[in-house]
């Protein structure tokens, strides 16, 4: 038996497991970023932000970008335009999420330098 389950192989085309995994990580990162933006800009509860997990979040986002890039390479080898468009969209969304997270971290660092 291979490393992936038989059900996942039946539902997804070859190479799409990486793209779907990158999509699931994107939704996790989107939830964490939305929570941090809400806590930073609206409620000002800075102790509820995910500062303690910044390294883990950034590493996870880099892994997500790598998986999305590998998934888009697999999709480029297929003849289905929808899969190619889907994989490239996930890659762009993960890249945008990375830079939004990076911007929020720099704004938070600047705020902490000014107030402390």
């Amino acid at each position: 038996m291979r490393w992936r389950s038989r059900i996942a192989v039946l539902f997804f085309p070859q190479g799409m497991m990486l793209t779907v995994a990158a999509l699931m990580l994107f939704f996790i990162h989107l939830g964490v970023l939305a929570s941090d933006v809400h806590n930073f800009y609206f409620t000002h509860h800075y102790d509820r932000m995910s500062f303690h997990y910044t390294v883990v979040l950034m590493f996870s986002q880099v892994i997500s970008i790598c998986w999305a890039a590998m998934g888009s390479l697999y999709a480029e080898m297929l003849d289905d335009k929808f899969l190619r468009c889907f994989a490239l969209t996930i890659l762009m969304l993960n890249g945008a999420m990375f830079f939004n997270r990076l911007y929020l971290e720099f704004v938070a660092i600047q705020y902490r330098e000014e107030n402390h």
Side-chain angles (χ1 to χ4, degrees), residues 28-45:
I28 292 170
H29 295 144
L30 182 65
V32 171
L33 182 72
S35 173
D36 284 348
V37 166
H38 178 72
N39 287 327
F40 187 78
Y41 287 112
F42 300 116
T43 62
H44 304 290
H45 293 292

Side-chain angles (χ1 to χ4, degrees), residues 1-13 17:
M1 182 178 254
R2 293 185 176 174
W3 60 273
R4 53 189 170 180
S5 68
R6 300 289 181 194
I7 294 173
V9 172
L10 291 176
F11 288 136
F12 298 117
M17 283 303 297

Side-chain angles (χ1 to χ4, degrees), residues 59-109:
F59 180 73
S60 175
Q61 286 180 337
V62 168
I63 292 298
S64 179
I65 290 171
C66 290
W67 284 353
M70 289 171 52
S72 68
L73 285 175
Y74 276 120
E76 286 292 327
M77 290 187 264
L78 300 174
D79 291 331
D80 192 1
K81 287 186 179 182
F82 173 75
L83 293 179
R84 279 190 256 165
C85 181
F86 178 71
L88 287 174
T89 303
I90 299 304
L91 179 60
M92 289 187 291
L93 285 173
N94 277 308
M97 181 63 64
F98 176 78
F99 287 114
N100 285 331
R101 182 76 204 177
L102 196 63
Y103 173 74
L104 181 65
E105 293 295 329
F106 281 126
V107 168
I109 288 170

